[in-house]
Amino acid sequence: MRKLSSASALLAIICVAAWADPGDPPSRVARLSYESGSVSFRPGSVEDWTAAQLNYPLTTSDHLWTDAGAQAEIHIGSTAVRMNAQTALSVLNLDDRTVQLSLTQGAVQIHIRQLESDEAYEIDTPNVAISLVRPGDYRIDADGDRNITLVAARAGEAEVNGGGAAFSVQAGQQARVSGVDTVAQEMNLIPSPDGWDRWCENRDQREDQSVSARYVSRDMTGYQDLDSYGVWRNVPGYGWCWVPTAMASGWAPYRFGHWVWVEPWGWTWVDDAPWGFAPFHYGRWAFAAGGWLWVPGRIAPRPVYAPALVAFVGGGGFHFSVAIGSGVAWFPLGPGEVYRPAYRVSPAYVRQVNITHVTNINVINVTNVRYVNRGVAGAVTAVRQEDFVASRPVGRVAVRVQTAEIERAPIAATAPFAPSRASVLGRSDGIRPAGPPERFVSRQVVARATPPPTPVPFTARQEALRANQGRPLDADTLNHLRSASPERNPQVRSIAARPAAPREENWRQVNSSESSPAVQRPAMRQNDRPARAMENQPAREPQRSTETQPRNDRPTQEMRRESNQQHQAQQQQRDQRQVEKRQERQNRK
């Protein structure tokens, strides 16, 4: 039965905290899961903007811009962040416990499905810092030119800090906050949903109905797109596997996409397929019954992201045939095979990144391994060094290598090539969109949490990377380079966190008419769909009412814990019913 009990979920949360080592990379990234129109991307270590790419993994200090008429969506595990047109968003911090985003202009919708007691979600705008303290649906609009922020909670609860003030936004409320050094806040009911709100709601409903959520954790980034492009089958020897449909002739895992350089992991695979995230950063691939199967393995409450679950062949002075010269090949890891990171990690991290497929941790240090997919016809893909480093589409530049050469070539943890600027930008076509107006890029935001320092520029680390044989730089080297590099403009203005004032003192419910009932705070449920928040236009000016909200002095941690417990219990009941129905169908067959 592929079901997670509340006890095992709690144990998994404790285990994540216990194994995390300060020197390990984050266990999660953000995925660009949808784009429409002109969407631009800038990695944190370069100043150039490039066209955004579906499935690109985003992490701390990366930037996105949606131009006029464009939309974008990113996922961080089960959380969805959606960007409306003309929105400038950057990732200030993304690690195992913190999601901190900078919104200097535009509008975002954020759907948080679950939130642990030690997790923090913070959205920073030019005049306030907003903490999302409960699972729910939020909309935030930032007008940095006028220093106005709109904060709406369709469900959940937000805490707002800025300009010497601190206050809460409850479910069904919208706050209009203006000013910088001193802010003024005004409360409204959330307006009727606009077209973008309804589009976001449809995206949420699609995820609520996901079949794939029965077989993998919702915290596995990218599961959301599997339903539309494949089917789940119970395969003897492998368990529940996902099988892609309508694949091109000659398709093999890790063949139709390209390689990019993403710190702190190094060489990272970006797949072309719209579903191509989860199956290339979690689980393993098997060739059975004449086709490829993705084997996710055991359910892990929060599976650990990997840049590419492959074994590299060649490199390190080894040359294939004259036709390829200096190059590298790779093939997908099979079920039960150990992934060995090329980046510096702790032994505990190695265990956790392999935990869905490897239970006997003693095998992790074994070097004499027979890789099952190495001998599968068509499983190995090879390219020249220059094509690999330039991030060229592998499906177009792949070369044929003799089987005998593959068999005698050494296995490596990574491609031993230093990245170029094209590797960091992830494009070889030279497309350079304009990106956002400069005032949005340079504009500071107010922040409660202090984010990590900005990355060392790629130009400052390039020489050290050339000597590092395709591996990311260690922390000591980066710190040395940072001390020698000129400091860039800080992204944030840090403020001290203040407790939210009692609602009876600072809050009045503002209704759209004198007869409107006071908004009641609903319990958060996964499939709740009350009216969504805020139109794109500035906040309306409804009549004020002297009616106050009922007092609620329970600590935030207690409310969050109660909400999480309620959410988990409901999810377990749904999962149980799905498993029972599936078992009944199998028995009838």
Side-chain angles (χ1 to χ4, degrees):
M1 183 184 301
R2 302 183 65 84
K3 181 173 80 75
L4 191 67
S5 68
S6 57
S8 60
L10 177 61
L11 178 61
I13 294 165
I14 295 172
C15 288
V16 168
W19 70 259
D21 184 280
D24 288 337
S27 65
R28 59 183 179 175
V29 297
R31 171 211 180 196
L32 181 61
S33 52
Y34 176 88
E35 58 175 330
S36 174
S38 177
V39 182
S40 304
F41 164 69
R42 179 170 75 84
S45 63
V46 299
E47 298 300 326
D48 296 330
W49 287 85
T50 186
Q53 306 163 63
L54 196 68
N55 292 323
Y56 198 101
L58 306 170
T59 188
T60 300
S61 294
D62 286 344
H63 305 258
L64 282 175
W65 163 252
T66 51
D67 214 335
Q71 294 176 331
E73 174 187 78
I74 65 175
H75 273 92
I76 307 166
S78 62
T79 296
V81 180
R82 301 182 178 102
M83 302 169 59
N84 206 354
Q86 294 185 302
T87 295
L89 187 73
S90 63
V91 183
L92 293 177
N93 192 14
L94 176 53
D95 59 26
D96 292 346
R97 295 179 176 84
T98 302
V99 177
Q100 185 178 8
L101 305 176
S102 164
L103 177 66
T104 56
Q105 182 67 29
V108 295
Q109 293 258 17
I110 303 170
H111 175 63
I112 301 178
R113 191 174 293 273
Q114 55 192 34
L115 184 66
E116 305 303 338
S117 60
D118 64 344
E119 277 190 289
Y121 277 80
E122 179 175 321
I123 314 300
D124 299 327
T125 75
N127 63 335
V128 289
I130 304 151
S131 298
L132 310 180
V133 298
R134 298 184 63 194
D137 290 277
Y138 305 89
R139 174 167 172 168
I140 301 170
D141 291 59
D143 183 345
D145 292 334
R146 297 191 299 158
N147 290 316
I148 294 175
T149 298
L150 303 176
V151 183
R154 185 179 65 84
E157 178 183 357
E159 293 179 354
V160 182
N161 268 259
F167 45 90
S168 296
V169 179
Q170 305 293 326
Q173 294 178 331
Q174 168 189 297
R176 183 181 189 272
V177 190
S178 58
V180 180
D181 297 326
T182 301
V183 301
Q185 68 267 17
E186 176 185 289
M187 295 303 299
N188 299 294
L189 292 178
I190 56 176
S192 299
D194 61 14
W196 184 54
D197 295 323
R198 288 187 287 271
W199 178 79
C200 293
E201 183 176 2
N202 289 336
R203 300 287 291 182
D204 287 337
Q205 290 175 342
R206 171 178 171 266
E207 293 177 23
D208 291 342
Q209 298 163 3
S210 172
V211 173
S212 297
R214 306 172 190 173
Y215 307 103
V216 298
S217 166
R218 284 192 182 270
D219 268 330
M220 178 180 285
T221 301
Y223 81 87
Q224 296 88 351
D225 288 308
L226 297 178
D227 290 354
S228 300
Y229 298 96
V231 295
W232 288 91
R233 294 176 183 167
N234 195 352
V235 181
Y238 298 117
W240 285 100
C241 302
W242 182 81
V243 184
T245 55
M247 303 312 296
S249 176
W251 185 90
Y254 301 96
R255 179 163 298 161
F256 292 91
H258 58 284
W259 292 95
V260 299
W261 183 266
V262 180
E263 299 277 3
W265 298 273
W267 290 117
T268 299
W269 179 257
V270 176
D271 202 77
D272 291 343
W275 51 266
F277 196 89
F280 299 99
H281 301 290
Y282 309 92
R284 303 292 190 271
W285 283 91
F287 190 85
W292 287 100
L293 318 168
W294 178 58
V295 188
R298 290 176 295 277
I299 291 181
R302 181 179 286 180
V304 178
Y305 162 87
L309 291 155
V310 303
F312 285 94
V313 184
F318 182 89
H319 289 258
F320 288 106
S321 64
V322 176
I324 186 173
S326 180
V328 69
W330 60 88
F331 56 84
L333 292 176
E337 294 174 354
V338 176
Y339 167 66
R340 296 177 177 82
Y343 42 96
R344 186 166 297 187
V345 295
S346 68
Y349 178 96
V350 178
R351 288 193 292 270
Q352 290 299 319
V353 78
N354 285 286
I355 201 167
T356 59
H357 277 264
V358 182
T359 54
N360 180 8
I361 61 174
N362 294 325
V363 306
I364 289 179
N365 292 322
V366 174
T367 55
N368 252 339
V369 179
R370 180 186 175 276
Y371 293 96
V372 63
N373 288 333
R374 189 179 192 178
V376 173
V380 179
T381 303
V383 296
R384 297 177 177 85
Q385 177 179 349
E386 57 267 31
D387 293 328
F388 186 97
V389 172
S391 292
R392 296 191 177 109
V394 169
R396 301 179 193 170
V397 298
V399 296
R400 184 180 298 277
V401 178
Q402 297 297 322
T403 302
E405 290 184 289
I406 294 294
E407 291 176 350
R408 65 184 177 88
I411 296 294
T414 188
F417 310 138
S420 67
R421 193 177 190 83
S423 312
V424 178
L425 290 170
R427 300 194 77 97
S428 59
D429 52 19
I431 296 177
R432 296 288 185 271
E438 177 57 30
R439 70 183 189 277
F440 300 159
V441 177
S442 58
R443 183 175 287 160
Q444 290 185 331
V445 293
V446 173
R448 290 177 60 177
T450 302
T454 55
V456 177
F458 178 73
T459 52
R461 70 174 78 184
Q462 195 165 11
E463 184 177 345
L465 285 168
R466 289 193 188 102
N468 219 38
Q469 294 292 300
R471 296 175 184 271
L473 303 179
D474 59 74
D476 291 340
T477 302
L478 285 174
N479 289 334
H480 174 74
L481 293 172
R482 181 174 288 110
S483 65
S485 300
E487 289 191 15
R488 289 183 279 176
N489 291 331
Q491 298 173 280
V492 303
R493 291 182 289 113
S494 297
I495 60 171
R498 296 166 57 92
R503 292 166 59 194
E504 292 173 342
E505 297 175 14
N506 276 334
W507 291 76
R508 291 192 301 167
Q509 180 66 50
V510 180
N511 297 326
S512 57
S513 68
E514 291 292 337
S515 60
S516 298
V519 173
Q520 298 297 317
R521 179 179 177 178
M524 175 59 189
R525 298 193 304 271
Q526 178 179 331
N527 291 321
D528 276 353
R529 289 289 175 266
R532 276 191 173 267
M534 301 184 341
E535 301 179 23
N536 282 328
Q537 304 301 320
R540 297 176 300 193
E541 303 287 345
Q543 282 187 298
R544 292 185 178 273
S545 166
T546 57
E547 184 178 1
T548 59
Q549 288 281 68
R551 186 180 179 90
N552 189 337
D553 289 331
R554 287 191 300 162
T556 298
Q557 293 284 356
E558 179 184 342
M559 291 187 292
R560 187 186 301 174
R561 183 166 53 252
E562 178 182 307
S563 177
N564 285 340
Q565 290 171 348
Q566 188 178 50
H567 171 80
Q568 289 175 355
Q570 292 168 348
Q571 182 64 49
Q572 291 159 16
Q573 292 173 0
R574 283 189 289 272
D575 289 346
Q576 178 64 36
R577 287 195 294 269
Q578 291 167 350
V579 171
E580 291 172 351
K581 290 179 180 177
R582 188 167 63 251
Q583 189 62 50
E584 289 175 3
R585 289 195 296 269
Q586 291 175 345
N587 291 341
R588 286 196 295 268
K589 292 179 181 178

